[in-house]
Amino acid sequence: MSSLSGKIAFVTGGSRGIGAAIAKRLAKDGAAVALTYANAPDKADAVVKEIKAAGGDAIALKAEASDAKAVKAAIDEAAKRFGRIDILVNNAGIAVMAPIDEFKDEDFDRIVAVNIKAVYAGVKAALAHMGEGGRIITIGSVNSDSMPFVGGAVYAMSKAAVAGLTRGLARDLGARGITVNNVQPGPIHTDMNPSDGPFAAMLKPVLAIKRYGHVDEVASLVAFVASPEAGYITGAGLKVDGGFDA
């Protein structure tokens, strides 16, 4: 029996990149998966088809992460479809980089809405459908602890807020048997930050392992934290960063 057999997972931003890898890995480990997308139904459908072709079960739901009501509606729909939510993965996120004196107020508001408020809204919505043994996992960033370049202050702020929220939620929910953890990737090869992109020449020398990570390496850590074996891990910041912050 797979480690997540019979579990129901909900992954925000699951149509591409790290989110898609997480959705596919949780399905591989036996979970039925609901994933959200904002603007790419074709990519979301491709993830669902791949999961189903491998014998799993999955659905894709449209929900813009900055819209708290849409996030709640999607979680409620997934719970109606599958009966409950056992695992919530708050993966959806955005990054806007600019020196603080050039940073646009509308970009600040959007980062807060997607990277912070959507996590809060997702947790509140999922808890209505989550029982003892539930798992809440948020995809944070090593940049909450270390920001090695100019222009990342607001992004780092948003991920530091997620780290603090994780620790507080672990206290709030521990008595209910629900764990809450923050997986913090370093440089991972995605379309947002490709291994041959504008930041790569600066970031690779900082790494102890001189390469970008793969999305599957993040997904494997998420799958472990979601599993029964991780039942005594909560309130943790778990880095998968190639030694970026070593």
Side-chain angles (χ1 to χ4, degrees), residues 163-218:
L165 181 62
T166 296
R167 292 189 292 271
L169 287 172
R171 291 288 182 185
D172 283 1
L173 301 176
R176 294 167 59 175
I178 297 171
T179 67
V180 190
N181 290 290
N182 183 29
V183 170
Q184 299 175 283
I188 304 296
H189 177 65
T190 64
D191 56 0
M192 286 179 61
N193 183 21
S195 59
D196 58 355
F199 294 107
M202 175 180 58
L203 292 176
K204 284 181 181 177
V206 179
L207 298 167
I209 299 173
K210 301 299 183 182
R211 65 170 176 85
Y212 268 40
H214 192 276
V215 292
D216 289 341
E217 292 172 305
V218 180

Side-chain angles (χ1 to χ4, degrees), residues 48-209:
V48 169
K49 288 178 181 177
E50 184 174 341
I51 289 172
K52 289 185 173 181
D57 193 6
I59 58 172
L61 300 167
K62 182 176 175 58
E64 169 56 56
S66 62
D67 184 344
K69 290 182 179 179
V71 172
K72 180 181 184 304
I75 289 174
D76 289 345
E77 177 63 25
K80 181 179 178 181
R81 164 69 168 77
F82 292 116
R84 65 185 185 281
I85 303 293
D86 299 305
I87 301 160
L88 170 66
V89 183
N90 291 302
N91 166 76
I94 60 169
V96 180
M97 304 294 175
I100 197 66
D101 54 348
E102 300 173 12
F103 210 89
K104 297 178 181 178
D105 290 349
E106 54 266 34
D107 287 334
F108 179 93
D109 290 342
R110 187 162 177 255
I111 282 182
V112 169
V114 175
N115 292 5
I116 303 174
K117 188 174 180 180
V119 175
Y120 162 82
V123 170
K124 286 196 73 175
L127 284 173
H129 310 287
M130 184 177 287
E132 185 170 349
R135 301 283 190 264
I136 297 172
I137 303 159
T138 296
I139 305 304
S141 172
V142 292
N143 291 138
S144 66
D145 299 317
S146 179
M147 176 48 69
F149 52 83
V150 171
V154 175
Y155 177 74
M157 175 206 73
S158 71
K159 294 303 185 178
V162 163
L165 181 62
T166 296
R167 292 189 292 271
L169 287 172
R171 291 288 182 185
D172 283 1
L173 301 176
R176 294 167 59 175
I178 297 171
T179 67
V180 190
N181 290 290
N182 183 29
V183 170
Q184 299 175 283
I188 304 296
H189 177 65
T190 64
D191 56 0
M192 286 179 61
N193 183 21
S195 59
D196 58 355
F199 294 107
M202 175 180 58
L203 292 176
K204 284 181 181 177
V206 179
L207 298 167
I209 299 173

Side-chain angles (χ1 to χ4, degrees), residues 12-22 24 35-40 43-44 47 91 93-94 190-192 215:
T12 67
S15 66
R16 60 190 177 95
I18 291 173
I22 291 169
K24 288 184 278 190
L35 59 97
T36 67
Y37 66 93
N39 301 307
K43 292 182 179 180
V47 175
N91 166 76
I94 60 169
T190 64
D191 56 0
M192 286 179 61
V215 292

